[in-house]
Amino acid sequence: MTSRTNAAIDARRIAATPRGVGIGFPIYAERALNAELWDVEGRRYIDFGSGIAVLNTGHRHPRVVEAIRAQLERFTHTAYQVVPYESVVSLAERLNRLTPGTHAKKTAFFTTGAEAVENAIKIARAATRRPGVIALGGGFHGRTFMGMALTGKVVPYKTGFGPFPGSIFHVPAPIALHGVSVDDSLRAIDKLFKADIEPEQVAAIILEPVQGEGGFYAAPPAFMRALREICDRHGILLIADEIQTGFARTGKWFAMDHHDVVPDLMTMAKSLAGGTPLSAVCGRAEIMDAPAPGGLGGTYAANALAIAAAHAVLDVIEDERLCERAQVLGDRLKARLEGLRAKVPQIADVRGLGAMVAVEFAGADGAPDPEFTKQVQTRARDAGLLLLTCGVHANVVRFLFPLTIEDAVLGEGLDILAAALQA
Ligand SMILES: Cc1ncc(COP(=O)(O)O)c(C=O)c1O
């Protein structure tokens, strides 16, 4: 039998699986609990990535594990579209209540985030009978064809995979740090309406209220309000992609709760279901009902184990007051990073909503510094801390630790981070 070292398994991975599925860290997981993970060699890591924003309630939260176990004893799969079950109906009812806006809503479940995005666009097109969709530069919406088309970053997501679905347009995201103002972005939409597509042919504008893969840039409230106004003026639907921002990460249930604007449709996935594959589209009832019966769904859509996990996740967020906890954790992290600015001149920006915090690095000339970012990530990994990067220039470290992380484990992680930044 091959020895179970990281190196030995990684050699087998390279031979057996394609390089297109890139690997962040060639350490092979053996087990994990809350914010800690152990590899096959018995080495412990503190996990500040949460499986890319999936584990706001931590690895194997006991209540999530128990909910899945209980469901396993009943049934795992009927195909909801063939034989439905009540837990889906009650989860839809919960999400319809929790999401922004008091209007009548409906929710449909899918499996991955990209699938939720695909279906949000299908629903928007069916409801408006229009083809066009506007998305933002730097945005990320998944790896399916519509997801790729909407994504505003070519390498590595779109390289070699075209042609993409048509009638998709991008405008620059308003990021003051990079010299793009709200007015610049709005002018770009105006130009689009003059040069490329008339507003009456646009079904939807989709954006992440805080860009995830793009670099943790929060949409300014004035931009969100202006988008709502443009949408209302032209009969366009506003879609908030909350796949990375949802479920208490930003200090509220959803990032849109930070805005006085309500989206027509919202996509959710990741931390919705504590590590099981589940996604959702929630929106105005009349819009959600536009596709005809059979137009939406999927064999695994609303998988029973994932639905059970999601109910437990919502219970945990409520009972452990994770929205408040996210704010406390985010404030603590930001204070620590701000305190390091004087010693680490590469820190160009520290930002975040709640616990959706990032630190951006630039060189003395102000240019993005992806090399330093990679060094910080590698040094942290060597010292037992898993960090994720992001940003169009790969010069941002983003923090996504479980909101259930113990104070001591967070403190230990922050000490490793501080050392990695100053090494
Ligand atoms: C905002 C956003 N939308 C869509 C997706 C795609 O989700 P999935 O990888 O589950 O398909 C992601 C994943 O990172 C995301 O962050």
Side-chain angles (χ1 to χ4, degrees):
M1 192 182 134
T2 321
S3 73
R4 290 186 85 236
T5 63
N6 290 311
I9 302 171
D10 206 47
R12 285 166 49 211
R13 169 184 72 85
I14 290 165
T17 70
R19 65 185 188 136
V21 183
I23 297 298
F25 308 103
I27 56 168
Y28 284 78
E30 181 66 21
R31 67 191 169 88
L33 186 63
N34 201 5
E36 294 167 279
L37 184 149
W38 289 263
D39 72 7
V40 290
E41 297 176 10
R43 174 127 202 245
R44 167 183 172 266
Y45 293 87
I46 296 171
D47 185 2
F48 272 16
S50 291
I52 325 184
V54 167
L55 301 164
N56 287 358
T57 50
H59 288 277
R60 289 172 53 232
H61 192 289
R63 291 176 71 180
V64 176
V65 170
E66 188 42 46
I68 296 171
R69 202 192 313 272
Q71 181 59 43
L72 259 179
E73 298 296 331
R74 298 174 60 223
F75 59 90
T76 59
H77 181 80
T78 62
Y80 178 74
Q81 290 162 265
V82 178
V83 180
Y85 26 97
E86 186 185 0
S87 54
V88 174
V89 179
S90 54
L91 187 64
E93 289 167 344
R94 288 182 85 172
L95 292 174
N96 293 342
R97 274 196 305 272
L98 280 172
T99 46
T102 52
H103 51 280
K105 288 178 229 153
K106 292 191 175 186
T107 296
F109 294 99
F110 305 97
T111 309
T112 65
E115 240 188 308
V117 169
E118 293 280 332
N119 282 282
I121 302 301
K122 282 169 64 176
I123 294 164
R125 283 182 169 169
T128 60
R129 301 274 160 195
R130 301 171 177 192
V133 184
I134 300 174
L136 299 188
F140 181 79
H141 298 287
R143 288 182 163 87
T144 52
F145 268 97
M146 182 54 76
M148 283 192 290
L150 294 170
T151 290
K153 181 179 176 187
V154 174
V155 180
Y157 305 122
K158 299 165 95 151
T159 315
F161 297 133
F164 302 108
S167 302
I168 309 297
F169 304 90
H170 286 94
V171 294
I175 300 171
L177 185 68
H178 296 294
V180 184
S181 68
V182 168
D183 280 347
D184 292 333
S185 296
L186 295 176
R187 262 195 299 273
I189 296 178
D190 214 35
K191 210 168 131 208
L192 200 69
F193 288 160
K194 290 195 171 67
D196 295 294
I197 185 169
E198 68 267 43
E200 293 73 25
Q201 286 299 312
V202 177
I205 299 177
I206 183 169
L207 80 162
E208 302 156 83
V210 183
Q211 287 196 336
E213 307 301 304
F216 278 30
Y217 302 104
F223 184 61
M224 206 59 95
R225 275 197 294 274
L227 289 185
R228 183 69 269 176
E229 198 274 318
I230 291 169
C231 287
D232 290 344
R233 188 159 11 117
H234 299 293
I236 297 170
L237 303 181
L238 184 62
I239 306 176
D241 182 345
E242 290 255 12
I243 286 168
Q244 192 152 159
T245 48
F247 302 101
R249 172 58 53 188
T250 67
K252 295 185 185 280
W253 273 100
F254 297 99
M256 287 306 292
D257 292 325
H258 293 274
H259 295 274
D260 51 7
V261 156
V262 174
D264 300 298
L265 295 172
M266 244 173 70
T267 54
M268 301 166 245
K270 291 194 185 273
S271 276
L272 164 61
T276 58
L278 185 69
S279 64
V281 180
C282 175
R284 292 186 185 278
E286 66 281 10
I287 295 170
M288 292 296 295
D289 271 333
L296 304 178
T299 303
Y300 295 107
N303 171 263
L305 298 173
I307 295 283
H311 275 290
V313 163
L314 300 188
D315 292 342
V316 169
I317 294 174
E318 275 162 10
D319 295 349
E320 299 187 17
R321 306 175 69 87
L322 292 188
C323 291
E324 288 92 328
R325 178 83 179 140
Q327 197 58 54
V328 170
L329 295 171
D331 288 347
R332 187 169 160 197
L333 169 58
K334 279 199 273 192
R336 188 72 186 261
L337 288 167
E338 290 290 357
L340 286 164
R341 262 184 194 262
K343 294 182 203 139
V344 187
Q346 291 90 342
I347 296 180
D349 194 34
V350 173
R351 57 177 171 269
L353 265 189
M356 194 165 177
V357 171
V359 54
E360 178 158 341
F361 302 111
D365 58 354
D369 196 342
E371 289 79 25
F372 181 75
T373 313
K374 186 82 207 157
Q375 280 167 18
V376 170
Q377 187 187 38
T378 305
R379 284 184 212 130
R381 198 269 318 270
D382 291 347
L385 173 68
L386 302 181
L387 294 176
L388 298 183
T389 60
C390 64
V392 173
H393 304 289
N395 66 325
V396 179
V397 167
R398 57 176 153 169
F399 298 93
L400 288 164
F401 41 70
L403 304 175
T404 48
I405 190 170
E406 300 87 348
D407 284 329
V409 177
L410 177 69
E412 199 185 334
L414 293 183
D415 288 345
I416 297 173
L417 172 71
L421 285 167
Q422 296 173 90

